[in-house]
């Protein structure tokens, strides 16, 4: 005779909902937005069906729609009109991200605005920092630049700055620069364990940020390493990160779980462009049930321990579950 029957609690949706361990709330989701400086750069992103590069006006429209659906946080990326070797457009007070922060805040004061801090969209060589003569990224010069960018975002009214460059010591530098400027309330969400991943491909098309030579393996993490990710998280927490992030998501759920078990700070995961593209391609072919596949994917992040999920599926999820 079988005494223990777990199936009893799977018999109907009511009982399944009663014993459900994890749920994805729209308030946990962050929608990335690509904002272009030149109207000519706006338009759909081929490998990311449903996602577009938006001019400033449309970015505000999109933010308003997201807010109406219950998505209260956006992550801004800028696509500038010009690039140079030192990313001088990145700390321009009238740069595209700085303007987008001001416009969205002015129209939608209740929206939480997070802005990505990195130079790869602003450098003509496409690397995430200032280069040395031999083509490697100069860590300390880059860190100064990142702090300078973060201050201009703070001056524009950003709520959270999110450094995605993977330079050493940048969280401490950004914190010090923000505090010196009196911007003590601006939080830092650090891309703490960001891997040198193949899954950023579509983003680089979207943001025009592919490196012109070489790759990012000299600063982003080596995919086989998990312990090193925990060390990176520990350093960022010690330097003052308010939120730490693991990126990408699906191929690194083990790292996410390990970080959850070890640290008590809010934990974010970035369900990146290539993960989105992969799912959308299969859905478009009729190979996957889109709604179920998206929900299952987002649930996996929450089950693995994420408090915050940054995802291009945010709007679609909110439309169905808002
Ligand atoms: C900028 C940055 C990247 C992503 C977020 N910030 C690209 C990269 O590191 O090459 C990727 C996001 C995505 O793929 O959705 N450094």
């Amino acid at each position: 005779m079988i005494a223990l029957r777990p199936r009893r609690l799977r018999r109907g949706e009511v009982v399944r909902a009663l014993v459900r361990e994890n749920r994805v709330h729209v308030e946990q989701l962050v929608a990335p937005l690509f904002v272009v400086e030149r109207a000519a750069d706006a338009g759909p992103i081929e490998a990311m069906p449903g996602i577009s590069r938006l001019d400033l006006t449309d970015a505000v429209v999109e933010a308003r729609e997201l807010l109406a659906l219950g998505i209260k946080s956006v992550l801004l990326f800028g696509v500038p009109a010009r690039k140079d070797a030192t990313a001088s457009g990145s700390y321009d007070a009238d740069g595209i991200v700085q303007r987008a922060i001001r416009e969205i805040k002015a129209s939608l004061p209740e929206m939480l605005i997070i802005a990505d801090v990195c130079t790869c969209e602003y450098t003509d060589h496409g690397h995430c920092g200032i280069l040395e003569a031999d083509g490697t990224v100069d860590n300390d010069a880059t860190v100064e630049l990142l702090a300078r960018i973060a201050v201009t975002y703070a001056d524009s009214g950003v709520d959270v700055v999110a450094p995605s460059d993977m330079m050493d010591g940048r969280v401490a530098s950004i914190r010090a620069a923000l505090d010196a400027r009196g911007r003590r309330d601006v939080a830092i969400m650090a891309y703490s364990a960001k891997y040198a991943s193949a899954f950023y491909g579509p983003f680089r098309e979207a943001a025009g940020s592919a490196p012109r030579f070489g790759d990012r393996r000299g600063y982003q993490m080596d995919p086989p390493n998990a312990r090193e990710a925990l060390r990176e998280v520990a350093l960022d927490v010690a330097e003052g990160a308010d939120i730490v992030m693991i990126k990408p998501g699906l191929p690194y759920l083990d790292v996410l779980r390990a970080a959850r078990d070890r640290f008590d700070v809010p934990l974010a995961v970035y369900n990146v462009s290539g993960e989105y593209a992969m799912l959308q391609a299969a859905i478009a072919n009729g190979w996957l049930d889109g709604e179920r596949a998206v929900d299952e994917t987002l649930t996996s992040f929450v089950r693995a321990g994420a408090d915050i999920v940054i995802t291009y599926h945010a709007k679609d999820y909110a439309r169905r579950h808002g």
Side-chain angles (χ1 to χ4, degrees):
M1 198 196 81
I2 304 171
L4 301 177
R5 294 183 182 271
R7 286 186 55 201
R8 277 185 205 116
L9 302 183
R10 296 180 202 139
R11 290 185 66 240
E13 181 48 26
V14 173
V15 72
R16 284 195 296 270
L18 186 69
V19 300
R20 190 156 292 144
E21 298 176 33
N22 293 287
R23 288 185 170 80
V24 180
H25 296 279
V26 290
E27 292 96 332
Q28 293 178 278
L29 303 181
V30 177
L33 290 182
F34 298 103
V35 192
V36 302
E37 186 160 18
R38 264 190 314 234
D41 290 332
I45 301 159
E46 203 186 326
M48 301 178 72
I51 307 293
S52 291
R53 306 181 351 155
L54 307 169
D55 65 20
L56 204 46
T57 309
D58 285 344
V60 176
V61 170
E62 178 69 10
R64 182 172 289 117
E65 283 178 30
L66 288 165
L67 197 59
L69 288 166
I71 306 284
K72 297 174 184 168
S73 306
V74 288
L75 172 59
L76 302 182
F77 293 97
V79 181
R82 64 186 168 82
K83 300 172 188 262
D84 59 28
T86 55
S88 58
S90 62
Y91 50 84
D92 182 343
D94 282 319
I96 185 59
V97 172
Q98 290 83 351
R99 282 162 56 204
I101 294 166
R102 292 196 293 267
E103 296 261 328
I104 296 172
K105 259 295 166 218
S107 318
L108 309 163
E110 61 276 57
M111 185 68 123
L112 186 96
I113 304 181
I114 311 172
D116 187 88
V117 178
C118 194
T119 63
C120 63
E121 296 98 338
Y122 300 87
T123 50
D124 49 15
H125 45 73
H127 278 286
C128 301
I130 307 282
L131 295 185
E132 308 212 48
D134 65 359
T136 58
V137 176
D138 179 338
N139 190 89
D140 298 11
T142 301
V143 163
E144 271 179 47
L145 182 58
L146 296 167
R148 189 167 174 185
I149 300 170
V151 167
T152 65
Y153 289 176
D155 287 349
S156 301
V158 83
D159 296 291
V160 182
V161 291
S164 67
D165 52 284
M166 288 302 280
M167 297 303 129
D168 297 325
R170 89 271 211 221
V171 172
S173 276
I174 290 172
R175 185 71 270 157
L178 290 172
D179 290 355
R181 187 75 168 190
R183 306 285 182 196
R184 291 176 199 86
D185 293 336
V186 172
I188 300 176
M189 176 168 76
Y191 287 70
S192 300
K194 175 174 177 182
Y195 287 88
S197 172
F199 289 92
Y200 308 147
F203 174 95
R204 291 178 187 174
E205 173 205 329
S209 64
R212 296 281 171 276
F213 63 88
D215 54 44
R216 304 211 200 289
R217 283 184 267 197
Y219 37 103
Q220 298 179 349
M221 278 188 51
D222 199 22
N225 295 359
R227 289 192 304 267
E228 185 188 347
L230 300 178
R231 181 157 188 259
E232 285 281 7
V233 171
L235 289 172
D236 284 354
V237 171
E239 288 180 30
D242 299 283
I243 300 170
V244 296
M245 189 207 296
I246 307 297
K247 174 185 174 190
L250 287 177
Y252 299 90
L253 288 175
D254 58 327
V255 178
L256 190 60
R257 167 48 58 192
R260 168 75 305 151
D261 290 344
R262 184 87 66 96
F263 301 98
D264 291 326
V265 292
L267 183 60
V269 66
Y270 200 141
N271 175 214
V272 303
S273 58
E275 300 172 60
Y276 179 82
M278 192 163 70
L279 220 53
Q280 292 298 331
I283 294 165
N285 272 297
W287 295 338
L288 288 176
D289 174 336
E291 298 188 356
R292 290 183 55 207
V294 168
D295 291 2
E296 192 173 330
T297 298
L298 299 186
T299 303
S300 75
F301 300 127
V302 172
R303 195 184 60 236
D307 301 301
I308 300 164
V309 181
I310 303 163
T311 179
Y312 303 98
H313 299 293
K315 197 177 189 182
D316 164 57
Y317 185 87
R319 273 204 193 100
R320 293 185 289 106
H321 300 275

